[in-house]
Amino acid sequence: MNIVVCLKQILDPEIPAQDFRIDQERKEPTQGNASLVISPFDENALEVALQMRERAGEGRVTAISIGSSSGTLALRKALAVKADQAVHVAAEGTINSFTAAAILGAALKKLEFDVVLCGRQAGDWDFGVVGPLLAESLGIPCVPFVTEASYAGGAIQAKRQTLDGYDLVKAPLPVVLTVTNASTNNLRYPKVKDVMMADRKEILAWEAATLLGGESPDASIEVRDLFIPVHKVECELIEGDNATEKALKLARRMRELKLV
Amino acid sequence: MSSVLAFCLAGQGGVGRNYLGLLGGASRIATALGSETHAALLGSDIDAQGAGQELLAYGADRVFCVNNPLLQEVDSDVYVRVAEQVCRKLQPRLVLFLCDDDGRALAPRLAWRLGTGLTTDCTAFDVEDGVIVALKPVFGGKALARVVCKSQPGIATVRVRSMEALARDEARSGEITVLDDIAVDASWKKVEVLDRVKEEVKGIRLEDAEVVVSGGRGIGGAEEFAALHDLARKLGAGVGASRAAVDEGWVPAGMQVGLTGKMIGPSVYIAVGISGASQHIAGVSNAKNIIAINSDPDAPIFRYARLGVAEDYRTILPALGKALEELMKD
């Protein structure tokens, strides 16, 4: 079974709002002190891929990432948790979801795959469209919001999260799964020796322009402005000598403000 | 006349409350564009007249209905082909979906098929010189983007609860059309549902609760959520959680509030041991009052709260519950 997991390398989405700045020229955030990380739901997708391989007792996990030629951190991390292969597709400039799906679609046609995994949405632009777009570009089905999956009898069984629980679904191969977070798919920690090994492994270097063969997919959308919203809420901090007093004061204020 | 088309994915059920908000949003954009508001109602066993009248009363000028037993479940492999045919037939200027699980799965695929662009999870729209500009929170809510679709139809998914429904007006009339020339084929369905599991959630449904008590990483464990349930019982409140608490396995995912969890708008949201990441705040941007209880006085949650206590919840919650119980007797 060949599993391909798509990883996007992004600025750490957990940086506090007060440190978040925008470069108006590029309409992108500035990096500042933020580190680069694998987009959180893509980490969940990577974990699901590794678990699928373990459960099947066979299979190959390929991690693929698009970005500037220096952006291989996500792939090194994937190799450190024992992805079998890593592919980096070099592309310069801003790559939006439509372009990303077209590039990934072209790359997948060069790779063997049974299952493609993507995070449900990237932790930067939050569009959440690459997985479904990719399914369309490959002409295969898409199961969204998966938390766990396994390979059984030539098909995929997956847990798909719903509003009040989950569906157990069966999908034919090949298929695109988009992954959402659950307690069962937090990405494992790599072993120190595997981190060192990963640094020495080869990463296949492909070019987006070559893959697309001169076609430039028109994204059809344009970001006109990017700005930081102002929100003004004045927090009334309840003071007191001890916790009981604070609790009592809070209760009174809640009552005065008719909140309860 | 050009139209703004709102898709209502009914499946086997009726038209949910959230779709009325979507229709309200569609109607306001249509007014600004000088277009008509159209609703496409897709599902199985739909009472086209009854449901259609309801959509007209809430702002649709015309309702188009596709009624087919194969549309019982909102399966995106099937629905995308139906939505594509509906769009090719009606040629709308703008297509709107709700940004719930169904809309998220469907809208991008429709965009690909129609060769057009889309913007997801929009919270507002402006019409500027005849151009539709979508406002979309990005970077987990830390920034807002104004996005334009350069091709037609533009497609957008609309954040749940971000748009107000119009007041119901039974005097409104319009045409209800059953589209019986839309093909639906059983072979389109590729994904089979083997089992449907509901996870029991204690107490009041989060989406309906006027008061919500919610816990995050600071709660420290699954059993510690009992303190939140205790307070919730006293207040008649629902219990929610941040993504961190779900990832730790302390609570089921159905309790997750936030950008990728539930979007709620209670009148009071009591955030306990929640740091206040923007991704979490996105889920309660419609909450009228946030009360923060967090032992870290520098936690970002206090920037969004009306009332705050910088103290360990373990000592605050029992005392708060008792005090509120006393006060509410009066």
Side-chain angles (χ1 to χ4, degrees):
Chain A
M1 179 185 39
N2 288 298
I3 307 165
V4 177
V5 56
C6 309
L7 304 177
K8 185 174 186 185
Q9 183 173 305
I10 63 168
L11 291 184
D12 187 353
E14 307 235 331
I15 62 160
Q18 61 264 29
D19 297 340
F20 187 84
R21 303 272 185 285
I22 287 166
D23 174 350
Q24 284 302 342
E25 193 74 15
R26 293 187 306 126
K27 298 197 179 75
E28 286 279 347
T30 54
Q31 185 169 352
N33 293 323
S35 46
L36 292 165
V37 298
I38 301 179
S39 179
F41 292 113
D42 295 355
E43 281 203 355
N44 300 124
L46 176 56
E47 178 61 32
V48 169
L50 298 170
Q51 289 174 8
M52 287 180 78
R53 185 183 62 187
E54 279 163 9
R55 287 198 191 117
E58 56 107 4
R60 214 173 139 71
V61 173
T62 300
I64 184 165
S65 186
I66 308 171
S68 66
S69 47
S70 57
T72 54
L73 175 143
L75 293 171
R76 291 284 170 212
K77 195 166 174 189
L79 289 170
V81 290
K82 299 287 194 83
D84 300 284
Q85 179 177 235
V87 179
H88 182 266
V89 184
E92 298 303 325
T94 307
I95 303 144
N96 66 34
S97 314
F98 290 83
T99 320
I103 295 170
L104 288 170
L108 280 158
K109 283 172 189 149
K110 286 183 61 175
L111 291 165
E112 280 183 41
F113 67 93
D114 301 297
V115 182
V116 184
L117 294 161
C118 304
R120 60 175 290 170
Q121 68 194 64
D124 49 7
W125 285 89
D126 289 317
F127 264 75
V129 300
V130 167
L133 290 177
L134 197 50
E136 282 297 325
S137 86
L138 297 166
I140 61 178
C142 178
V143 183
F145 315 121
V146 166
T147 59
E148 285 178 65
S150 48
Y151 174 73
I156 290 296
Q157 276 203 15
K159 269 189 180 180
R160 175 175 68 192
Q161 201 177 88
T162 57
L163 271 181
D164 52 7
Y166 64 89
D167 291 343
L168 189 65
V169 303
K170 185 178 166 187
L173 302 176
V175 66
V176 174
L177 310 178
T178 78
V179 175
T180 193
N181 65 297
S183 58
T184 52
N185 63 23
N186 294 313
L187 182 60
R188 63 195 63 189
Y189 290 101
K191 297 195 182 92
V192 175
K193 93 172 160 38
D194 292 334
V195 174
M196 295 188 320
M197 293 276 282
D199 283 339
R200 294 201 294 267
K201 281 195 181 149
E202 188 203 1
I203 292 178
L204 296 178
W206 294 358
E207 295 277 343
T210 321
L211 286 173
L212 293 172
E215 271 181 57
S216 65
D218 180 14
S220 299
I221 58 162
E222 179 194 328
V223 174
R224 284 211 170 162
D225 307 293
L226 182 65
F227 61 98
I228 297 172
V230 279
H231 74 93
K232 16 180 205 286
V233 180
E234 201 63 45
C235 181
E236 179 186 331
L237 214 54
I238 308 286
E239 303 290 351
D241 290 337
N242 56 54
T244 318
E245 192 187 327
K246 287 182 187 173
L248 196 62
K249 279 188 177 172
L250 174 61
R252 284 200 198 113
R253 280 302 281 150
M254 286 170 72
R255 196 70 179 149
E256 281 163 18
L257 294 168
K258 297 191 167 45
L259 303 185
V260 286
Chain B
M1 191 183 218
S2 74
S3 68
V4 175
L5 177 65
F7 270 100
C8 303
L9 314 174
Q12 204 174 11
V15 178
R17 187 180 61 172
N18 289 332
Y19 281 114
L20 304 179
L22 179 72
L23 199 56
S27 169
R28 284 182 201 96
I29 302 165
T31 305
L33 284 170
S35 302
E36 284 190 349
T37 308
H38 292 177
L41 181 57
L42 275 46
S44 165
D45 293 322
I46 297 173
D47 165 15
Q49 282 306 317
Q53 287 297 344
E54 217 32 38
L55 293 173
L56 294 175
Y58 279 101
D61 296 308
R62 291 185 71 178
V63 178
F64 299 90
C65 183
V66 183
N67 212 345
N68 191 299
L70 295 170
L71 300 179
Q72 196 168 347
E73 273 172 50
V74 185
D75 177 314
S76 66
D77 292 311
V78 179
Y79 266 65
V80 71
R81 289 168 168 86
V82 173
E84 182 188 2
Q85 292 174 72
V86 171
C87 287
R88 293 201 188 280
K89 190 178 176 74
L90 303 179
Q91 300 283 329
R93 163 116 189 246
L94 176 69
V95 178
L96 298 180
F97 288 90
L98 207 54
C99 192
D100 58 2
D101 286 356
D102 295 333
R104 282 173 165 137
L106 198 54
R109 301 183 61 172
L110 179 65
W112 183 277
R113 279 169 182 260
L114 297 177
T116 189
L118 93 156
T119 312
T120 56
D121 205 14
C122 304
T123 53
F125 295 87
D126 289 321
V127 175
E128 295 169 4
D129 302 324
V131 177
I132 304 160
V133 184
L135 196 71
K136 168 179 168 55
V138 290
F139 297 90
K142 286 196 269 288
L144 286 170
R146 284 165 26 91
V147 186
V148 188
C149 192
K150 294 187 291 183
S151 51
Q152 281 202 26
I155 302 184
T157 66
V158 176
R159 180 171 288 190
V160 171
R161 298 184 94 116
S162 66
M163 313 227 158
E164 294 248 359
L166 300 185
R168 188 170 190 282
D169 180 0
E170 278 187 58
R172 285 181 52 97
S173 62
E175 205 176 313
I176 300 166
T177 311
V178 176
L179 299 175
D180 40 23
D181 54 349
I182 301 290
V184 191
D185 193 304
S187 70
W188 296 343
K189 188 175 162 61
K190 304 289 182 204
V191 178
E192 186 189 345
V193 178
L194 303 175
D195 195 13
R196 191 147 272 176
V197 179
K198 288 205 173 191
E199 279 164 351
E200 187 119 3
V201 177
K202 280 187 250 171
I204 298 173
R205 256 168 54 97
L206 266 180
E207 295 91 328
D208 303 331
E210 274 301 299
V211 180
V212 170
V213 184
S214 201
R217 197 186 299 282
I219 299 300
E223 282 161 25
E224 281 81 352
F225 263 80
L228 278 71
H229 283 286
D230 278 345
L231 180 63
R233 252 193 313 277
K234 287 176 181 146
L235 299 176
V239 179
S242 71
R243 178 178 166 178
V246 172
D247 286 350
E248 292 285 352
W250 300 339
V251 296
M255 280 170 68
Q256 185 177 323
V257 171
L259 184 66
T260 55
K262 294 199 164 125
M263 297 277 177
I264 58 173
S267 64
V268 181
Y269 185 74
I270 307 177
V272 187
I274 289 176
S275 66
S278 54
Q279 291 84 351
H280 181 74
I281 298 300
V284 289
S285 54
N286 288 322
K288 289 176 195 71
N289 300 281
I290 294 177
I291 298 174
I293 301 170
N294 198 304
S295 56
D296 174 10
D298 296 323
I301 189 71
F302 290 112
R303 297 169 26 135
Y304 303 94
R306 181 159 182 203
L307 296 173
V309 183
E311 188 77 56
D312 189 338
Y313 81 92
R314 289 174 185 83
T315 50
I316 292 288
L317 285 200
L320 178 65
K322 212 171 138 209
L324 284 172
E325 240 179 351
E326 289 295 318
L327 288 170
M328 281 155 71
K329 276 184 199 157
D330 303 338

